[in-house]
Amino acid sequence: FLHWCDKPKPKPLCSQMALSKTNTDALCCDTKSGGPFVRSARKFMYRFNLWTGLYMLERHEKFAFHVIVGTFCVAVCLYFWIFLAGFFRGLLLTTTNDS
C-alpha cells in the first residue's frame, strides 16, 4: 500500500525519448577544415537550417521547399523588375513632356 506522498519518481525524459536521424547534433558544422569562405558558408547553412527548421525534413521535402520558395522569389524579382522599368519609363516620359 502506497501513501499519497510516496509516489514513484518519474523517469528522466531522455530515457523516454527516441532519438531519430533528425537530431540537430548531426548538423554541427565543421569549423576546422576549409578556408574562411567555406567555413562561413557552412556556418550560414547551419544557421539557415536551424532557423527554418529544414533539418527536420527529408531530402525530397527540402527540395520541394526550395523549389516553391525559389519560384516565389524569382516571381517577386521579375515583378519588381517590370514595375521599376515601367516606373522609370513613365518618369522619363513625364520629364520630357514637361520641358
Side-chain angles (χ1 to χ4, degrees):
F1 181 69
L2 287 175
H3 193 266
W4 65 272
C5 62
D6 294 336
K7 292 180 186 175
K9 293 182 181 178
K11 293 180 181 177
L13 184 62
C14 59
S15 67
Q16 298 170 357
M17 285 184 1
L19 297 178
S20 65
K21 63 182 177 181
T22 60
N23 193 357
T24 57
D25 294 340
L27 285 176
C28 292
C29 53
D30 181 22
T31 57
K32 304 218 186 297
S33 64
F37 178 75
V38 173
R39 284 187 303 228
S40 63
R42 286 181 185 157
K43 192 175 186 179
F44 173 77
M45 283 306 297
Y46 174 72
R47 288 181 178 170
F48 175 74
N49 282 325
L50 287 180
W51 183 74
T52 57
L54 289 178
Y55 67 92
M56 295 184 285
L57 301 179
E58 299 289 333
R59 183 179 291 272
H60 64 280
E61 293 170 330
K62 287 182 189 180
F63 179 75
F65 173 81
H66 284 105
V67 166
I68 292 169
V69 170
T71 304
F72 179 76
C73 289
V74 167
V76 167
C77 289
L78 286 175
Y79 178 77
F80 190 67
W81 181 264
I82 292 170
F83 173 78
L84 280 180
F87 175 76
F88 286 125
R89 190 177 310 123
L91 188 65
L92 209 96
L93 288 176
T94 56
T95 56
T96 55
N97 289 340
D98 290 340
S99 51

